[in-house]
Amino acid sequence: MAISRSNDLNRIRELLQRRRRDILHASAGAHRELTALKDQERDPEYEENAQSELADYTLSSLMESQRREVMLIDAALRRMEMGVFGDCVDCGFEIPIERLEALPFAIRCEEDASIHEIETRGGHMAMPSL
Ligand SMILES: [Zn+2]
């Protein structure tokens, strides 16, 4: 592997690790805020109970998307450890670094990704993407 590419991959790894820390940090913060909001509602003077239900809902969908992103980051980091990160799972060629920088979770080159998308859509009803 060319040195410049492995440097680029290292940079992406650092970005992913930082992003992972930020997500975990943010979700811990959101959790504390919700707990504080709930404590506030135990106060009988405080009448707007619906607020924490809404916050609860927002938090759980936020946590869901954060959890999913952490999973994708972990999968990408695992692929880096195995030395296959940045290789297309279909054709085996290296995915251009520009694509990986824009889409660090990409496991296919652009061409195979569009073929895969058409195959997934055709025939079966695809799950609506969120
Ligand atoms: Zn490919």
Side-chain angles (χ1 to χ4, degrees):
M1 190 191 293
I3 288 174
S4 76
R5 182 167 171 91
S6 82
N7 283 344
D8 287 338
L9 293 185
N10 278 335
R11 205 176 58 241
I12 293 175
R13 186 210 305 260
E14 278 163 23
L15 285 174
L16 289 176
Q17 283 167 339
R18 197 176 318 146
R19 175 81 186 135
R20 190 182 195 281
R21 270 198 304 276
D22 288 349
I23 293 172
L24 296 179
H25 201 81
S27 85
H31 213 267
R32 269 198 303 278
E33 259 173 55
L34 181 66
T35 311
L37 190 61
K38 284 194 165 162
D39 285 346
Q40 191 181 8
E41 277 180 12
R42 280 191 211 107
D43 185 341
E45 308 261 313
Y46 192 83
E47 286 172 9
E48 285 170 70
N49 287 29
Q51 201 176 333
S52 92
E53 272 170 44
L54 180 67
D56 227 344
Y57 175 76
T58 310
L59 182 67
S60 64
S61 57
L62 179 74
M63 289 205 311
E64 179 56 37
S65 69
Q66 285 172 336
R67 207 168 19 237
R68 201 173 309 150
E69 191 172 352
V70 169
M71 268 170 44
L72 287 170
I73 291 174
D74 284 346
L77 292 173
R78 217 171 308 132
R79 287 171 56 75
M80 284 177 178
E81 272 169 39
M82 296 190 304
V84 295
F85 179 85
D87 296 343
C88 173
V89 294
D90 285 347
C91 67
F93 285 110
E94 291 181 349
I95 300 169
I97 209 75
E98 297 74 34
R99 176 169 169 78
L100 290 171
E101 277 172 342
L103 302 164
F105 308 133
I107 56 169
R108 288 181 175 85
C109 67
E110 209 163 338
E111 201 179 323
D112 284 321
S114 51
I115 294 171
H116 179 77
E117 203 178 323
I118 293 164
E119 280 173 355
T120 331
R121 264 199 226 140
H124 313 278
M125 277 286 282
M127 288 288 288
S129 56
L130 295 171

